Amino acid sequence: MFLYTFAKTLKELRLEKELTQEGLANILGVNRTSISDWEKPRTEPSLTMLVELAKFFGVTVDELLGVEN
């Protein structure tokens, strides 16, 4: 469940910043395929990358994953 929520949230945040998958990949230092796979969702990012994504988008990791308190 978290993986599907993450995929949707990641794509929404990326599009809000008007970034392509390639553009986000360049910023994060990963390949475009990684971004695509995260948004599908075929794979999930590492914990370190989740933190980097949260920092970049100005959200918490919980928000990225759709965790409610």
Side-chain angles (χ1 to χ4, degrees), residues 10-20 39 57:
L10 176 60
K11 185 173 184 177
E12 289 171 355
L13 291 169
R14 178 179 60 78
L15 293 175
E16 283 176 14
K17 288 202 176 257
E18 299 181 356
L19 286 169
T20 62
E39 289 183 0
F57 288 115

Side-chain angles (χ1 to χ4, degrees), residues 3-63:
L3 193 56
Y4 290 99
T5 301
F6 166 74
K8 181 179 180 234
T9 303
L10 176 60
K11 185 173 184 177
E12 289 171 355
L13 291 169
R14 178 179 60 78
L15 293 175
E16 283 176 14
K17 288 202 176 257
E18 299 181 356
L19 286 169
T20 62
Q21 289 180 344
E22 186 76 31
L24 181 57
N26 288 336
I27 290 167
L28 297 172
V30 299
N31 61 40
R32 187 206 57 80
T33 305
S34 293
I35 304 298
S36 176
D37 286 349
W38 297 342
E39 289 183 0
K40 291 288 181 191
R42 291 186 185 138
T43 62
E44 57 192 50
S46 68
L47 181 57
T48 302
M49 188 54 64
L50 275 175
V51 172
E52 290 302 314
L53 285 162
K55 285 182 189 176
F56 177 75
F57 288 115
V59 298
T60 66
V61 172
D62 283 355
E63 289 173 299

